[in-house]
């Protein structure tokens, strides 16, 4: 979904793309917390606008349609749920993915993986955490709950109008 959110105190709200959950759209996307051995099914729906807001390099992508497909980076998933770039769906489309979570505890992230426009879609905000916990990790008595604070660092350039700037090529 397209959202407008403050990313810096000295700039007006920035047009970004985010993920919807029960609390509404947000960027980065909601942190997904899963348990090793407990599968999770997620349906990803593309609610993006009809045309990309950043310049698309047409040597890499045929058009300006903001296709999207989500890849769980570091996840051990079936091929059908791996977010292959050519499987991206246009606005209005959706993809149902199955995450078996048959791996040890890990801090993973999910992100858009569409052919030719991954960098644009991630820059616009299509990324988030996927935290996978297991019994071995729990036995370490690490910070958890409100004390487990994931941190995302992103490099972006903004204009004085607060909008993301990214070269087309």
């Amino acid at each position: 979904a397209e959202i407008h959110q403050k990313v810096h105190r000295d700039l007006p709200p920035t047009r970004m793309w985010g993920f919807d959950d029960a609390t509404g759209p947000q960027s980065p996307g909601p942190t997904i917390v899963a348990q090793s051995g407990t599968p999770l099914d997620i349906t990803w729906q593309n609610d993006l606008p009809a045309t990309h807001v950043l310049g698309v390099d047409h040597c890499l992508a045929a058009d300006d349609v903001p296709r999207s497909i989500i890849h769980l980076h570091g996840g051990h998933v079936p091929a059908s749920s791996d977010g292959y770039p050519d499987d991206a769906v246009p606005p209005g489309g959706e993809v149902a993915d199955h995450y078996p979570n048959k791996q040890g505890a890990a801090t993973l992230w999910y992100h858009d993986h569409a052919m030719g426009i991954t960098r644009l879609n991630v820059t616009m905000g299509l990324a988030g955490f996927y935290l996978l916990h297991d019994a071995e990790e729990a036995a370490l008595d690490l910070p958890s709950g409100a004390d487990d604070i994931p941190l995302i660092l992103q490099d972006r350039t903004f204009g004085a109008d607060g909008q993301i700037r990214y070269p087309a090529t």
Side-chain angles (χ1 to χ4, degrees):
E2 186 166 288
I3 59 176
H4 290 83
Q5 85 184 22
K6 283 246 344 140
V7 296
H8 191 279
R9 68 168 191 246
D10 297 334
L11 295 174
T14 301
R15 178 194 312 178
M16 299 182 74
W17 292 347
F19 292 90
D20 272 324
D21 71 355
T23 63
Q26 57 185 298
S27 179
T31 297
I32 298 168
V33 180
Q35 186 65 35
S36 181
T38 303
L40 182 62
D41 294 309
I42 298 177
T43 298
W44 303 100
Q45 184 173 349
N46 183 343
D47 289 330
L48 298 175
T51 304
H52 216 293
V53 298
L54 297 178
V56 174
D57 182 344
H58 292 121
C59 291
L60 302 173
D63 55 42
D64 294 344
V65 176
R67 293 167 303 284
S68 182
I69 188 76
I70 304 304
H71 172 70
L72 179 57
H73 200 88
H76 300 180
V77 302
S80 61
S81 295
D82 198 36
Y84 286 135
D86 287 330
D87 292 341
V89 297
E94 66 181 32
V95 174
D97 285 332
H98 176 73
Y99 303 112
N101 296 323
K102 291 183 179 179
Q103 65 188 93
T107 299
L108 308 173
W109 68 297
Y110 60 92
H111 61 89
D112 180 79
H113 207 228
M115 179 61 80
I117 57 173
T118 296
R119 70 196 188 292
L120 302 178
N121 291 353
V122 172
T123 296
M124 286 298 295
L126 296 183
F129 275 118
Y130 189 101
L131 306 179
L132 187 57
H133 299 293
D134 68 8
E136 185 176 342
E137 176 197 33
L140 297 174
D141 197 30
L142 297 171
S144 62
D147 295 324
D148 183 7
I149 303 170
L151 178 64
I152 294 176
L153 300 177
Q154 296 177 311
D155 182 15
R156 292 190 178 114
T157 301
F158 300 92
D161 62 356
Q163 301 315 301
I164 295 170
R165 300 290 186 254
Y166 196 95
T169 59

